[in-house]
Amino acid sequence: GAEESTLMSYFSKNQIQALKPKITFSTLRDLQCPVLQSKDLQGKPEESCSTEELFEWLGAVLNQVNLDNKSSSFLSTYCCPEPNTVVEKAFLCTITGFIIPEKIIQLLEQLCCYFGEPKLAYWLTLTVHGFADSPVSWRENEHGFHKGGENLYNFVIFRNLDYWLQMAVGAHDDCPP
């Protein structure tokens, strides 16, 4: 009633408007992907990659780093960890904006449903990045964005619905319980 009217008046008076998240889709072709085994967090030589190797590789893919390990003008090089396999098509969906936790849970549930029908993929990921100056923090401590700002987590979901949860927080932040 009255509170809602006052709030709406405040927003319109200060030219504040709601924005919808931006969604982009892309297809990555002939992508080298690490071989993962849900039970092997540390990886096994010549059998599977570790969680750390996956996390680094995923960061490179999401940042569109060239993975062919060829030097160019003395830039650093990177290649997919071993063992790996070439995937003909990998789909990348990026949603940018303020997304509430309930929507992230809904996305995660939908991704789990992906394996309900026979699929070729062995695993998929959902990565959530917080804003560097996010007011959200763990354990009621102030977020250390003045000193770093790392703030993300990643779910790796396997065909058998096992999953890995990877988190990265800044050196001046606490990890969640």
Side-chain angles (χ1 to χ4, degrees):
E3 289 176 358
E4 184 178 328
S5 175
T6 303
L7 189 61
M8 293 305 291
S9 172
Y10 172 80
F11 284 133
S12 63
K13 194 176 358 173
N14 291 294
Q15 298 179 344
I16 298 171
Q17 60 183 342
L19 299 175
K20 294 188 183 271
K22 177 184 169 190
I23 302 173
T24 58
F25 297 95
S26 57
T27 302
L28 307 174
R29 301 209 181 267
D30 300 321
L31 179 67
Q32 282 187 300
C33 293
V35 172
L36 305 175
Q37 298 295 326
S38 64
K39 306 282 189 226
D40 294 332
L41 297 172
Q42 302 304 317
K44 289 184 179 171
E46 300 181 25
E47 288 184 32
S48 63
C49 295
S50 70
T51 58
E52 291 88 0
E53 290 171 316
L54 170 74
F55 201 62
E56 183 176 51
W57 171 85
L58 189 58
V61 169
L62 294 175
N63 286 292
Q64 300 174 353
V65 171
N66 189 344
L67 302 175
D68 64 9
N69 199 27
K70 293 179 184 173
S71 62
S72 171
S73 300
F74 300 100
L75 293 176
S76 297
T77 60
Y78 180 80
C79 60
C80 185
E82 294 285 338
N84 60 54
T85 185
V86 175
V87 174
E88 185 179 324
K89 285 187 204 175
F91 298 102
L92 177 63
C93 174
T94 305
I95 304 171
T96 306
F98 183 77
I99 304 166
I100 60 174
E102 291 80 9
K103 290 293 182 187
I104 294 169
I105 292 169
Q106 187 178 18
L107 280 170
L108 190 57
E109 289 171 349
Q110 288 298 310
L111 288 173
C112 289
C113 291
Y114 174 81
F115 292 118
E117 298 177 23
K119 303 288 184 196
L120 296 177
Y122 290 99
W123 53 269
L124 52 84
T125 67
L126 171 66
T127 304
V128 179
H129 289 265
F131 297 102
D133 60 350
S134 173
V136 178
S137 64
W138 303 109
R139 297 190 183 153
E140 300 176 11
N141 290 328
E142 183 178 345
H143 180 51
F145 76 92
H146 295 293
K147 301 170 186 156
E150 297 84 0
N151 182 6
L152 68 98
Y153 58 93
N154 180 59
F155 282 97
V156 182
I157 305 152
F158 293 90
R159 187 184 286 176
N160 64 0
L161 298 184
D162 283 352
Y163 69 92
W164 296 345
L165 173 59
Q166 301 170 304
M167 292 186 250
V169 296
H172 299 280
D173 289 327
D174 278 341
C175 285

PDB file of all heavy atoms in Angstrom, residues 137-151:
ATOM      1  N   SER A 137      28.712 -10.913   1.976  1.00  0.00           N
ATOM      2  CA  SER A 137      29.940 -11.477   2.535  1.00  0.00           C
ATOM      3  C   SER A 137      29.591 -12.734   3.308  1.00  0.00           C
ATOM      4  O   SER A 137      28.441 -12.997   3.609  1.00  0.00           O
ATOM      5  CB  SER A 137      30.636 -10.461   3.441  1.00  0.00           C
ATOM      6  OG  SER A 137      29.814 -10.169   4.550  1.00  0.00           O
ATOM      7  N   TRP A 138      30.603 -13.505   3.616  1.00  0.00           N
ATOM      8  CA  TRP A 138      30.433 -14.720   4.393  1.00  0.00           C
ATOM      9  C   TRP A 138      30.688 -14.412   5.859  1.00  0.00           C
ATOM     10  O   TRP A 138      31.528 -13.596   6.204  1.00  0.00           O
ATOM     11  CB  TRP A 138      31.402 -15.797   3.932  1.00  0.00           C
ATOM     12  CG  TRP A 138      31.289 -16.134   2.473  1.00  0.00           C
ATOM     13  CD1 TRP A 138      32.187 -15.829   1.494  1.00  0.00           C
ATOM     14  CD2 TRP A 138      30.238 -16.844   1.834  1.00  0.00           C
ATOM     15  NE1 TRP A 138      31.758 -16.299   0.285  1.00  0.00           N
ATOM     16  CE2 TRP A 138      30.565 -16.931   0.460  1.00  0.00           C
ATOM     17  CE3 TRP A 138      29.042 -17.401   2.268  1.00  0.00           C
ATOM     18  CZ2 TRP A 138      29.748 -17.564  -0.465  1.00  0.00           C
ATOM     19  CZ3 TRP A 138      28.240 -18.032   1.337  1.00  0.00           C
ATOM     20  CH2 TRP A 138      28.591 -18.112  -0.003  1.00  0.00           C
ATOM     21  N   ARG A 139      29.981 -15.081   6.731  1.00  0.00           N
ATOM     22  CA  ARG A 139      30.169 -14.990   8.187  1.00  0.00           C
ATOM     23  C   ARG A 139      30.083 -13.564   8.717  1.00  0.00           C
ATOM     24  O   ARG A 139      30.769 -13.187   9.647  1.00  0.00           O
ATOM     25  CB  ARG A 139      31.505 -15.605   8.588  1.00  0.00           C
ATOM     26  CG  ARG A 139      31.587 -17.072   8.285  1.00  0.00           C
ATOM     27  CD  ARG A 139      32.817 -17.654   8.927  1.00  0.00           C
ATOM     28  NE  ARG A 139      32.911 -19.045   8.558  1.00  0.00           N
ATOM     29  CZ  ARG A 139      34.027 -19.716   8.495  1.00  0.00           C
ATOM     30  NH1 ARG A 139      35.161 -19.140   8.788  1.00  0.00           N
ATOM     31  NH2 ARG A 139      34.023 -20.975   8.160  1.00  0.00           N
ATOM     32  N   GLU A 140      29.264 -12.745   8.111  1.00  0.00           N
ATOM     33  CA  GLU A 140      28.997 -11.381   8.577  1.00  0.00           C
ATOM     34  C   GLU A 140      30.242 -10.508   8.662  1.00  0.00           C
ATOM     35  O   GLU A 140      30.291  -9.543   9.413  1.00  0.00           O
ATOM     36  CB  GLU A 140      28.259 -11.412   9.915  1.00  0.00           C
ATOM     37  CG  GLU A 140      26.920 -12.134   9.821  1.00  0.00           C
ATOM     38  CD  GLU A 140      26.220 -12.249  11.149  1.00  0.00           C
ATOM     39  OE1 GLU A 140      26.635 -11.616  12.126  1.00  0.00           O
ATOM     40  OE2 GLU A 140      25.227 -12.979  11.204  1.00  0.00           O
ATOM     41  N   ASN A 141      31.271 -10.826   7.911  1.00  0.00           N
ATOM     42  CA  ASN A 141      32.462  -9.984   7.842  1.00  0.00           C
ATOM     43  C   ASN A 141      32.377  -9.105   6.604  1.00  0.00           C
ATOM     44  O   ASN A 141      31.849  -9.518   5.576  1.00  0.00           O
ATOM     45  CB  ASN A 141      33.737 -10.836   7.768  1.00  0.00           C
ATOM     46  CG  ASN A 141      34.010 -11.548   9.070  1.00  0.00           C
ATOM     47  OD1 ASN A 141      33.685 -11.044  10.144  1.00  0.00           O
ATOM     48  ND2 ASN A 141      34.603 -12.717   8.983  1.00  0.00           N
ATOM     49  N   GLU A 142      32.923  -7.903   6.698  1.00  0.00           N
ATOM     50  CA  GLU A 142      32.915  -7.006   5.563  1.00  0.00           C
ATOM     51  C   GLU A 142      33.692  -7.630   4.412  1.00  0.00           C
ATOM     52  O   GLU A 142      34.760  -8.184   4.594  1.00  0.00           O
ATOM     53  CB  GLU A 142      33.553  -5.670   5.964  1.00  0.00           C
ATOM     54  CG  GLU A 142      33.521  -4.654   4.851  1.00  0.00           C
ATOM     55  CD  GLU A 142      34.120  -3.320   5.262  1.00  0.00           C
ATOM     56  OE1 GLU A 142      34.302  -3.089   6.466  1.00  0.00           O
ATOM     57  OE2 GLU A 142      34.407  -2.518   4.362  1.00  0.00           O
ATOM     58  N   HIS A 143      33.127  -7.533   3.214  1.00  0.00           N
ATOM     59  CA  HIS A 143      33.776  -8.059   2.015  1.00  0.00           C
ATOM     60  C   HIS A 143      35.022  -7.232   1.729  1.00  0.00           C
ATOM     61  O   HIS A 143      34.982  -6.007   1.740  1.00  0.00           O
ATOM     62  CB  HIS A 143      32.792  -8.000   0.847  1.00  0.00           C
ATOM     63  CG  HIS A 143      33.319  -8.508  -0.449  1.00  0.00           C
ATOM     64  ND1 HIS A 143      33.923  -9.730  -0.577  1.00  0.00           N
ATOM     65  CD2 HIS A 143      33.333  -7.968  -1.685  1.00  0.00           C
ATOM     66  CE1 HIS A 143      34.280  -9.914  -1.833  1.00  0.00           C
ATOM     67  NE2 HIS A 143      33.925  -8.853  -2.516  1.00  0.00           N
ATOM     68  N   GLY A 144      36.142  -7.885   1.496  1.00  0.00           N
ATOM     69  CA  GLY A 144      37.418  -7.200   1.323  1.00  0.00           C
ATOM     70  C   GLY A 144      37.667  -6.675  -0.065  1.00  0.00           C
ATOM     71  O   GLY A 144      38.765  -6.791  -0.582  1.00  0.00           O
ATOM     72  N   PHE A 145      36.648  -6.060  -0.700  1.00  0.00           N
ATOM     73  CA  PHE A 145      36.818  -5.633  -2.085  1.00  0.00           C
ATOM     74  C   PHE A 145      37.842  -4.518  -2.252  1.00  0.00           C
ATOM     75  O   PHE A 145      38.349  -4.311  -3.343  1.00  0.00           O
ATOM     76  CB  PHE A 145      35.476  -5.243  -2.715  1.00  0.00           C
ATOM     77  CG  PHE A 145      34.932  -3.908  -2.288  1.00  0.00           C
ATOM     78  CD1 PHE A 145      35.226  -2.769  -3.008  1.00  0.00           C
ATOM     79  CD2 PHE A 145      34.111  -3.813  -1.172  1.00  0.00           C
ATOM     80  CE1 PHE A 145      34.710  -1.549  -2.635  1.00  0.00           C
ATOM     81  CE2 PHE A 145      33.593  -2.600  -0.798  1.00  0.00           C
ATOM     82  CZ  PHE A 145      33.893  -1.459  -1.528  1.00  0.00           C
ATOM     83  N   HIS A 146      38.171  -3.810  -1.184  1.00  0.00           N
ATOM     84  CA  HIS A 146      39.198  -2.775  -1.290  1.00  0.00           C
ATOM     85  C   HIS A 146      40.579  -3.390  -1.497  1.00  0.00           C
ATOM     86  O   HIS A 146      41.514  -2.710  -1.872  1.00  0.00           O
ATOM     87  CB  HIS A 146      39.233  -1.906  -0.021  1.00  0.00           C
ATOM     88  CG  HIS A 146      37.984  -1.118   0.185  1.00  0.00           C
ATOM     89  ND1 HIS A 146      37.605  -0.094  -0.658  1.00  0.00           N
ATOM     90  CD2 HIS A 146      37.014  -1.199   1.117  1.00  0.00           C
ATOM     91  CE1 HIS A 146      36.469   0.420  -0.243  1.00  0.00           C
ATOM     92  NE2 HIS A 146      36.089  -0.237   0.835  1.00  0.00           N
ATOM     93  N   LYS A 147      40.703  -4.682  -1.249  1.00  0.00           N
ATOM     94  CA  LYS A 147      42.009  -5.342  -1.286  1.00  0.00           C
ATOM     95  C   LYS A 147      42.080  -6.468  -2.305  1.00  0.00           C
ATOM     96  O   LYS A 147      43.068  -7.158  -2.388  1.00  0.00           O
ATOM     97  CB  LYS A 147      42.332  -5.896   0.098  1.00  0.00           C
ATOM     98  CG  LYS A 147      42.344  -4.822   1.151  1.00  0.00           C
ATOM     99  CD  LYS A 147      42.424  -5.414   2.527  1.00  0.00           C
ATOM    100  CE  LYS A 147      42.292  -4.321   3.557  1.00  0.00           C
ATOM    101  NZ  LYS A 147      41.827  -4.802   4.815  1.00  0.00           N
ATOM    102  N   GLY A 148      41.037  -6.726  -3.053  1.00  0.00           N
ATOM    103  CA  GLY A 148      41.071  -7.821  -4.014  1.00  0.00           C
ATOM    104  C   GLY A 148      39.733  -7.979  -4.708  1.00  0.00           C
ATOM    105  O   GLY A 148      39.553  -7.575  -5.833  1.00  0.00           O
ATOM    106  N   GLY A 149      38.781  -8.575  -4.046  1.00  0.00           N
ATOM    107  CA  GLY A 149      37.435  -8.670  -4.576  1.00  0.00           C
ATOM    108  C   GLY A 149      37.056  -9.992  -5.192  1.00  0.00           C
ATOM    109  O   GLY A 149      35.974 -10.124  -5.731  1.00  0.00           O
ATOM    110  N   GLU A 150      37.929 -11.003  -5.133  1.00  0.00           N
ATOM    111  CA  GLU A 150      37.559 -12.295  -5.698  1.00  0.00           C
ATOM    112  C   GLU A 150      36.308 -12.791  -4.984  1.00  0.00           C
ATOM    113  O   GLU A 150      36.181 -12.674  -3.784  1.00  0.00           O
ATOM    114  CB  GLU A 150      38.685 -13.319  -5.522  1.00  0.00           C
ATOM    115  CG  GLU A 150      39.961 -12.960  -6.233  1.00  0.00           C
ATOM    116  CD  GLU A 150      40.844 -12.011  -5.439  1.00  0.00           C
ATOM    117  OE1 GLU A 150      40.481 -11.609  -4.322  1.00  0.00           O
ATOM    118  OE2 GLU A 150      41.903 -11.645  -5.952  1.00  0.00           O
ATOM    119  N   ASN A 151      35.393 -13.336  -5.755  1.00  0.00           N
ATOM    120  CA  ASN A 151      34.117 -13.718  -5.179  1.00  0.00           C
ATOM    121  C   ASN A 151      33.370 -14.580  -6.191  1.00  0.00           C
ATOM    122  O   ASN A 151      32.646 -14.064  -7.023  1.00  0.00           O
ATOM    123  CB  ASN A 151      33.335 -12.436  -4.864  1.00  0.00           C
ATOM    124  CG  ASN A 151      32.008 -12.688  -4.216  1.00  0.00           C
ATOM    125  OD1 ASN A 151      31.666 -13.805  -3.881  1.00  0.00           O
ATOM    126  ND2 ASN A 151      31.239 -11.635  -4.062  1.00  0.00           N
TER     127      ASN A 151
END
